[in-house]
Amino acid sequence: MKRIFTAIFIFFLLLPNLASGRNFLHLHSENGVYLMDVPKSTLNRDILVTTTILQGAARENRARDMRFGYGGDAVFDQMIRLTKDGNSLQIEKPSVVSDNTAKSIYSKFTQLAMSPIVAAFPIKKENDSTYTIDMTSFLKQDNPLVSLSGAKEELKLGEYDDAKSYVEGTVCYPENINIRSYRAYKTRDEKEDPNGTNWLVGTSWFLLPKTPMMPQLTDMRVGYFSTPVAGTIFRDDYLIPEVRYANRWRLEPKAEDLAKYRQGELVEPQKQIVFYIDRATPGYLVPYFIKAVEAWNPVFEKAGFKHAITAKLAPTAEEDSTYSEEDIRYSLISYKASPIPNAYGPMVVDP
C-alpha cells in the first residue's frame, strides 16, 4: 500500500486590537491612471504595510528545504509615514523610537535623525482636506510596498519582469487599503525555472492608532515572541544598544466592565481574538484547528478575560465580501500542500 503524507504549514497573522481610523487613503483608477487621495489628517501618521502571497509560483524545480513561497505566506512588513515637503508628498520609513525619560537627549536624537525617503510624488490637486497624487508608476515598480522585492532573497527571485507585471485591483476601507497585483520575475538559474515565476501578491496598508499600546520589554523567563529594537531606546540619558519588545495582543476590558475587571472578575475583552481557518484546509482537520486555538482560553482567563480567543472557517465571498487573506485586519491559519512536514508562524505586529 502506498501512503501519501500532506505537510501542513501554518501561518499566524497576529496583530493587536488596532483602533480604526476615519477618512483613510482612497486609491482609485481613472483611465488607467491610479490616483491616491490623501487626507491632510493622515499626514505624519504611522501606517503598517504588509505583503502576502495569495498564489505562489508553480516552480518546476523547487528546493525541498525552501520554506516560503506558498499562498497565504506573509513575507514582508514595514512601517511608513506620508509627509509633505513643499509641493510634493513623500513616503518615509521612520525609526521606532521609545523613551522613558523627559531629558533632552531624546529630543536631540529625533531632531538629528532623518528618516529615509522611499518615494516622492508631486501634488496633482489640493482642496481644503485632501491632497491627490499619481501612484501609477509607483504601483508598477518592483518596490517592497507593493511587490515581492522585500522578500527576494527568501523567495530566490531574479530580475523583475515589468512587461508581465500589473495591478489587478484595489479595495479601500475606512482604516486600510488592499492592493492586489500580478508580479513576474525572471530566474537566477534558468535550469530551475526556465519560464520565470509568476505570483499573485496582496499588499495591505493599515492606519495605526494615534496612541500606541504601551510596549513591554521581554523577559527571558517568559516565552514571548519578540521584536528587536536596536539603538533607539533611551534610559537615564544612555542609549541601550538593543532591546526586545514582547509581541502581545491588545486585550482591554469594556468600559462598563472595568470595575469588575479590577476586582478580579472574568470579563470579555473589547475585541475578541479571532483566527480564520483557510478554506484550503482539509475538512476533517478544521474542527481540530479550532479546538487547538480555543485551547488557549484558560490561559487568557489567568489574565482576567473569558471568551478571549476563538477560531472559525474563513468566510466565502458570498458570506463576507470584505474578507481577504491579505487584509491585515484578519488573523489567518493557512494550509499548505508541501513536501516539508512543518508548521511555522511568522507574525505581523504593530511595531
Side-chain angles (χ1 to χ4, degrees), residues 90-302:
Q90 301 177 149
I91 296 178
E92 294 185 3
K93 181 183 175 183
S95 299
V96 179
V97 180
S98 183
D99 178 39
N100 78 329
T101 175
K103 297 182 180 179
S104 60
I105 186 171
Y106 172 77
S107 60
K108 288 179 180 178
F109 176 85
T110 55
Q111 290 169 8
L112 293 174
M114 294 185 66
S115 299
I117 304 299
V118 177
F121 309 90
I123 296 173
K124 296 291 185 181
K125 186 171 59 176
E126 177 186 358
N127 59 34
D128 291 342
S129 62
T130 306
Y131 298 110
T132 300
I133 57 177
D134 186 343
M135 296 282 286
T136 309
S137 61
F138 180 80
L139 295 178
K140 182 72 172 176
Q141 295 169 5
D142 184 29
N143 71 75
L145 301 184
V146 292
S147 74
L148 292 176
S149 67
K152 270 192 171 182
E153 291 302 317
E154 186 73 48
L155 299 176
K156 300 180 180 178
L157 301 178
E159 182 183 349
Y160 181 61
D161 194 337
D162 180 84
K164 296 180 182 178
S165 302
Y166 60 94
V167 175
E168 183 190 56
T170 63
V171 183
C172 301
Y173 298 104
E175 66 272 4
N176 67 308
I177 59 172
N178 296 333
I179 305 165
R180 284 195 173 194
S181 59
Y182 286 92
R183 302 290 169 172
Y185 294 86
K186 299 174 182 177
T187 55
R188 299 178 182 181
D189 185 348
E190 291 187 0
K191 294 179 181 179
E192 291 185 1
D193 296 289
N195 298 315
T197 58
N198 300 296
W199 312 75
L200 178 59
V201 180
T203 306
S204 189
W205 293 26
F206 191 98
L207 183 65
L208 295 174
K210 281 186 176 180
T211 304
M213 185 168 121
M214 178 68 69
Q216 174 66 54
L217 297 178
T218 54
D219 188 315
M220 293 298 291
R221 298 168 295 178
V222 183
Y224 279 105
F225 284 101
S226 61
T227 298
V229 181
T232 54
I233 306 298
F234 292 100
R235 179 175 293 166
D236 300 328
D237 270 355
Y238 290 97
L239 182 65
I240 301 173
E242 179 179 280
V243 296
R244 302 188 74 91
Y245 285 151
N247 297 340
R248 301 172 299 144
W249 291 95
R250 190 168 190 166
L251 287 180
E252 298 170 327
K254 300 172 184 177
E256 62 270 25
D257 292 333
L258 186 57
K260 295 179 181 178
Y261 179 77
R262 288 174 174 170
Q263 292 171 6
E265 293 184 38
L266 290 179
V267 299
E268 294 186 357
Q270 287 184 26
K271 184 175 181 181
Q272 187 183 40
I273 302 168
V274 179
F275 275 94
Y276 290 92
I277 310 298
D278 180 9
R279 283 190 167 268
T281 306
Y284 76 95
L285 287 175
V286 172
Y288 299 102
F289 278 29
I290 294 175
K291 188 176 180 179
V293 171
E294 295 182 345
W296 283 93
N297 270 312
V299 179
F300 284 104
E301 289 178 3
K302 297 292 185 181

Side-chain angles (χ1 to χ4, degrees), residues 63-77:
R64 287 183 59 87
D65 61 348
M66 188 175 176
R67 185 173 63 154
F68 292 108
Y70 298 92
D73 283 345
V75 293
F76 182 79
D77 60 270

